[in-house]
Amino acid sequence: MQTLIENVNVVNPFEEISTHQNVLIEDGVIKEITSGKIKADNVIDGEDNYLLSGFIDCHTHIFAKGFHKEENMANPLGLHFYNAVPHALQTVNAGVTTIRDCGSADLSFKLAQQRKLFTAPKIHLSITPLVMTGGHFDLLLPSGWDMEIIYPGFPKGRCDGVEEVLKKTREVRRAGADFIKVMASGGVLTTNTSPEFAQFNKKELKTIVNEAKATNMKVSAHCHSLKGMNNCIDAGFSSIEHGTFIDRKTSQKMVEKNVSLVATLLVHQFLAKNGFPAWDSYAAEKTAKLKEIVKVHKENISVAYEEGVNILMGTDSGVIPHGHNLEELIHLTDIGMSSDEAIAAGTVRAAEFLGFDNLGLVKENYAADLILVNSNPLDDVNVLSNNDNILKVIQDGFVVK
């Protein structure tokens, strides 16, 4: 199948805009980009708008709707899956055509997207994070109720010691994971843990990495803690998520070891501004932690940027409502990034991190995952934060918005 997008201005970060271009798509791939005339049966008039790559959100939870433990207990399991349908549509409508899910989604979502059962971003799966007993995302409450959602094909993430983390890494891989996610520090949303403390010991972390690398899988760390980050860097992790208490020395170490940072600046500021549901029994404890997080996060990520850390776009959507994804670009420019750098963090650099060499740019022989925007985002990246400005979303050559 051929589709022609006529009269568009092609936007790639760090390049001059190519004006009045015609883009031919065939079998989901960009076949030709030219200012000359092209014939095709299916023609889209770009109306002199701006065409750029669809975005990649490197930290989402597509099944999640706030991670409220009370809802886990009250709702039938089926709702856990049905929630993903509107979440996926909201994500696509925001201009995101690929996501890296850091816990909650399973292989069923990936298969459903591939089979086009509903409109959804492509997905890079971690299935469920590995968590130590009593650590962030250990959802066994003092009451004795275990609020973790489990079902066939979705293993429980709790594990301790070298033997258990080895087996759990294999279980998660067997369940269909594309990468391994590890909770390597305390968090904001889990009670009785603190973001400043490291979790899992060095032997456990190294065991996880060695097992993952046996099949070329990357390992990612939820980590706010400075000590936790250094433990993970030393163990051979590929990315740090959040990185709240990062400092200059650790940033330099990440550059040296080629460890990427998914800063998720949006999530903490969104929660601090909008709060938690009135019925959330742990809202006061979470809010108190947030005050500390928001205070230092932006300043420390600015230091990481100054030191040259590879910072990727991620939002932690699912902790916050889906569909706000490209608001993260505003926060990336707030720490010093240019519009080109921020857009690259959510397109070509994210694609490279995921291992794709044909995604993230509007180029011939690249995947036709594209968005059409009504003004130039290189002049003002804020335009991408308003979903109404994203006129069309194309995935594998098909218009999905």
Side-chain angles (χ1 to χ4, degrees):
M1 175 183 174
Q2 286 189 334
T3 297
L4 175 63
I5 309 174
E6 288 186 328
N7 189 23
V8 290
N9 304 304
V10 172
V11 179
N12 286 312
F14 313 113
E15 297 180 9
E16 291 291 328
I17 292 177
S18 298
T19 59
H20 307 300
Q21 298 294 296
N22 300 313
V23 179
L24 180 66
I25 298 167
E26 186 175 318
D27 297 328
V29 175
I30 299 170
K31 286 296 183 184
E32 187 176 359
I33 302 174
T34 179
S35 57
K37 291 185 178 181
I38 304 176
K39 290 184 178 181
D41 293 332
N42 184 36
V43 179
I44 297 170
D45 185 355
E47 299 181 341
D48 201 29
N49 289 301
Y50 293 81
L51 188 74
L52 61 158
S53 171
F55 279 81
I56 300 169
D57 189 331
C58 287
H59 192 121
T60 66
H61 303 278
I62 199 67
F63 279 29
K65 196 175 183 179
F67 287 107
H68 302 298
K69 303 178 185 69
E70 294 86 346
E71 290 189 339
N72 289 0
M73 189 174 208
N75 290 336
L77 179 61
L79 278 180
H80 182 62
F81 302 94
Y82 289 127
N83 280 337
V85 178
H87 296 168
L89 183 60
Q90 290 163 349
T91 303
V92 167
N93 286 343
V96 174
T97 50
T98 299
I99 59 174
R100 175 174 171 260
D101 192 276
C102 287
S104 73
D106 69 355
L107 187 59
S108 67
F109 184 94
K110 187 172 186 176
L111 295 176
Q113 187 281 322
Q114 290 173 346
R115 297 173 188 180
K116 310 300 182 187
L117 299 184
F118 52 88
T119 300
K122 300 171 184 177
I123 192 167
H124 205 68
L125 286 169
S126 68
I127 306 295
T128 192
L130 276 57
V131 52
M132 73 177 199
T133 297
H136 179 50
F137 233 68
D138 180 355
L139 300 183
L140 181 66
L141 303 183
S143 65
W145 287 103
D146 192 343
M147 311 301 281
E148 185 174 1
I149 295 174
I150 57 171
Y151 49 88
F154 194 85
K156 180 179 282 291
R158 192 185 304 133
C159 52
D160 301 284
V162 168
E163 293 301 321
E164 285 192 11
V165 301
L166 175 65
K167 184 176 182 180
K168 193 60 61 177
T169 301
R170 291 173 176 173
E171 287 182 358
V172 171
R173 182 170 57 207
R174 179 179 63 188
D178 299 301
F179 71 104
I180 303 297
K181 168 82 177 296
V182 180
M183 297 303 199
S185 83
V188 176
L189 298 183
T190 300
T191 56
N192 302 319
T193 72
S194 175
E196 66 197 78
F197 296 129
Q199 297 183 354
F200 285 113
N201 62 44
K202 291 181 180 180
K203 286 185 177 180
E204 291 168 324
L205 296 173
K206 189 64 177 175
T207 299
I208 296 166
V209 170
N210 287 342
E211 181 58 29
K213 285 187 174 179
T215 50
N216 296 321
M217 295 176 73
K218 292 182 176 179
V219 185
S220 162
H222 156 100
C223 200
H224 301 283
S225 158
L226 188 60
K227 180 180 179 182
M229 281 184 262
N230 279 281
N231 287 346
C232 291
I233 295 164
D234 291 341
F237 278 54
S238 296
S239 71
I240 302 294
E241 316 292 311
H242 315 306
T244 300
F245 298 115
I246 195 169
D247 63 6
R248 198 168 297 277
K249 184 177 179 181
T250 303
S251 298
Q252 293 167 351
K253 191 175 180 180
M254 288 180 69
V255 173
E256 179 187 345
K257 300 285 188 180
N258 193 30
V259 181
S260 297
L261 173 62
V262 186
T264 64
L265 290 157
L266 171 65
V267 61
H268 298 137
Q269 297 191 42
F270 189 99
L271 290 172
K273 179 180 178 180
N274 295 283
F276 299 91
W279 50 261
D280 189 332
S281 304
Y282 302 97
E285 181 179 340
K286 294 174 185 177
T287 301
K289 290 181 184 179
L290 271 174
K291 288 180 180 178
E292 180 183 7
I293 294 292
V294 170
K295 184 178 179 181
V296 301
H297 195 196
K298 179 181 174 181
E299 181 179 337
N300 291 343
I301 300 302
S302 297
V303 169
Y305 168 70
E306 290 169 6
E307 291 299 326
V309 175
N310 185 38
I311 298 175
L312 306 174
M313 190 197 85
T315 62
D316 223 352
S317 293
V319 175
I320 60 175
H322 298 269
H324 296 268
N325 307 68
L326 298 194
E327 291 178 24
E328 179 72 11
L329 300 175
I330 299 172
H331 297 288
L332 292 178
T333 56
D334 284 346
I335 63 163
M337 281 189 176
S338 66
S339 294
D340 287 274
E341 288 175 316
I343 290 170
T347 56
V348 62
R349 287 181 181 162
E352 289 169 353
F353 176 79
L354 295 182
F356 296 106
D357 60 5
N358 64 341
L359 187 65
L361 293 171
V362 186
K363 295 281 189 185
E364 291 177 358
N365 300 317
Y366 272 61
D369 292 353
L370 306 164
I371 64 173
L372 191 67
V373 184
N374 62 9
S375 56
N376 183 2
L378 296 180
D379 288 341
D380 181 9
V381 77
N382 287 268
V383 303
L384 294 169
S385 67
N386 184 342
N387 294 352
D388 290 338
N389 294 333
I390 299 170
L391 306 176
K392 291 187 184 296
V393 178
I394 296 166
Q395 186 186 61
D396 290 327
F398 293 93
V399 176
V400 291
K401 175 184 178 181

